[in-house]
């Protein structure tokens, strides 16, 4: 499990395999009722978004209208497999859309910061619009909430058995963003990209919360996304106020340089949960 592949030089996505194997939790077996699996996915996503990852398996099963308390194990092999499946159903279309936008980018000398930011946020916006109401941004924010922003050059690549999804595509885009900020010292460029991506994620999650509270009077997502894009471009393009001497020590000494931002993307900067799951 991973939001995931690795980019060994810049962004390293830490993964923890499912105890039952890398893909055992992702596909319902032959003859397994697809409807029950989909109900569990929808219920888990909504509860993770509105109540956090502490919600119990029992509550997820009940919300899905299931009566068998082993339904999560039956369909996903484990709770970690359920979380992975929730992520995968969004990551795949996001990655496909993002790959298309990356392929259309001009060359390094001609591309703009805005084009890079749009390649990140537009697939997220499109995925959110596929669902009414959307919960994905809040799940993504929840997954990365407990994660730090580590930077360092001694992190070894993590093994990842997953096929290309958002992890690999996101890695490529983040590398392009860092390269685009090459006038900045490298640690500061990496830091700006990480903070900007988190800002965008939190902004989309806030829109979901406000939209749910406002009912039909919420601000449309499209203009809200444009505002986030404007702010993200400004964050990345702002001149640096940090002197070269200070910048060299901007990050903790043993975390300086290029490293992985431990992440899940769309859920960006997410590591799989290591604590005991409730329920």
């Amino acid at each position: 499990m991973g939001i995931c592949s690795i980019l060994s030089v810049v962004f390293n996505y830490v993964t923890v395999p499912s105890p039952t194997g890398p893909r055992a939790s992702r596909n319902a077996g032959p003859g397994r009722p697809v409807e029950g699996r989909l109900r569990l996915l929808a219920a888990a996503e909504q509860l993770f978004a509105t109540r956090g990852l502490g919600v119990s398996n029992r509550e997820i099963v009940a919300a899905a209208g299931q009566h068998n308390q082993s339904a999560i194990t039956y369909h996903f092999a484990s709770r970690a497999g359920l979380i992975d499946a929730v992520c995968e159903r969004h990551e795949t279309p996001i990655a496909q859309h993002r790959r298309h936008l990356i392929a259309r980018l001009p060359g390094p000398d001609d591309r703009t910061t805005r084009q890079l930011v749009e390649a990140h946020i537009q697939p997220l916006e499109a995925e959110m619009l596929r669902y009414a109401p959307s919960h994905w941004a809040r799940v993504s924010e929840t997954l990365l909430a407990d994660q730090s922003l580590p930077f360092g050059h001694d992190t070894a690549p993590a093994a990842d058995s997953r096929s290309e999804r958002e992890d690999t595509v996101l890695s490529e885009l983040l590398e392009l963003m860092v390269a685009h900020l090459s006038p900045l010292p490298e640690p500061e460029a990496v830091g700006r990209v990480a903070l900007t991506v988190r800002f965008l994620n939190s902004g989309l999650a806030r829109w979901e919360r406000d939209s749910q509270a406002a009912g039909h009077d919420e601000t449309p997502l499209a203009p809200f996304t444009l505002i986030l894009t404007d702010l993200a471009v400004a964050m990345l393009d702002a001149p640096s106020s940090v002197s070269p001497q200070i910048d060299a020590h901007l990050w903790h000494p043993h975390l300086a340089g290029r490293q992985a931002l431990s992440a899940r993307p769309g859920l960006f900067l997410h590591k799989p949960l290591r604590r005991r799951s409730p329920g």
Side-chain angles (χ1 to χ4, degrees):
M1 175 177 164
I3 245 171
C4 339
S5 174
I6 50 156
L7 182 62
S8 59
V9 179
V10 186
F11 298 101
N12 173 32
Y13 297 91
V14 179
T15 64
V16 177
S18 165
T20 57
R23 283 206 169 266
S25 65
R26 291 191 186 135
N27 300 301
R32 292 189 175 182
V34 175
E35 183 179 352
R37 188 175 191 274
L38 293 177
R39 286 181 179 178
L40 284 167
L41 282 173
E45 183 170 336
Q46 180 176 358
L47 289 173
F48 290 155
T50 57
R51 295 176 53 187
L53 295 176
V55 65
S56 69
N57 288 356
R58 185 181 301 275
E59 290 171 298
I60 294 171
V61 171
Q66 305 289 303
H67 302 290
N68 187 346
Q69 291 304 311
S70 64
I72 289 176
T73 303
Y74 178 76
H75 288 285
F76 306 101
S78 66
R79 183 183 176 90
L82 171 62
I83 295 174
D84 194 30
V86 169
C87 294
E88 184 171 12
R89 75 168 180 163
H90 296 288
E91 290 177 0
T92 298
I94 288 171
Q96 292 171 346
H97 189 173
R98 189 167 282 150
R99 172 65 71 193
H100 175 70
L101 295 180
I102 290 174
R104 296 175 57 189
L105 287 172
D109 294 336
D110 298 319
R111 69 177 58 125
T112 65
T113 305
R114 188 175 192 87
Q115 289 169 331
L116 292 167
V117 172
E118 289 174 344
H120 177 77
I121 197 171
Q122 286 182 359
L124 300 177
E125 175 193 11
E127 184 65 9
M128 291 168 65
L129 288 172
R130 291 178 60 212
Y131 296 87
S134 171
H135 299 98
W136 175 236
R138 282 172 287 174
V139 173
S140 184
E141 182 185 48
T142 299
L143 287 169
L144 65 83
D146 295 332
Q147 305 304 318
S148 60
L149 289 172
F151 299 90
H153 53 273
D154 296 324
T155 300
D160 189 1
S161 57
R162 304 190 324 162
S163 61
E164 177 179 276
R165 294 218 314 255
E166 179 161 8
D167 44 18
T168 310
V169 180
L170 180 60
S171 297
E172 180 181 351
L173 179 60
L174 298 178
E175 184 184 17
L176 293 175
M177 287 182 172
V178 171
H180 185 71
L181 300 182
S182 58
L184 294 174
E186 186 177 88
E188 187 172 351
V190 173
R192 284 198 187 198
V193 170
L195 292 168
T196 299
V197 169
R198 280 200 164 190
F199 163 77
L200 292 173
N201 178 272
S202 295
L204 293 173
R206 171 51 58 190
W207 181 88
E208 282 188 351
R209 291 189 189 93
D210 291 348
S211 297
Q212 188 175 44
H216 296 291
D217 297 326
E218 74 272 14
T219 302
L221 181 57
F224 185 84
T225 300
L226 289 176
I227 294 172
L228 288 181
T229 301
D230 290 341
L231 295 174
V233 171
M235 290 172 67
L236 292 172
D237 283 347
S240 176
S241 300
V242 181
S243 69
Q245 293 79 11
I246 296 177
D247 199 285
H249 303 284
L250 185 61
W251 311 106
H252 192 281
H254 76 276
L255 294 178
R258 279 186 182 266
Q259 172 199 357
L261 302 173
S262 299
R264 254 202 105 98
L267 328 145
F268 183 55
L269 303 177
H270 156 70
K271 295 180 184 177
L273 298 178
R274 301 175 188 274
R275 58 177 178 264
R276 184 183 299 275
S277 299

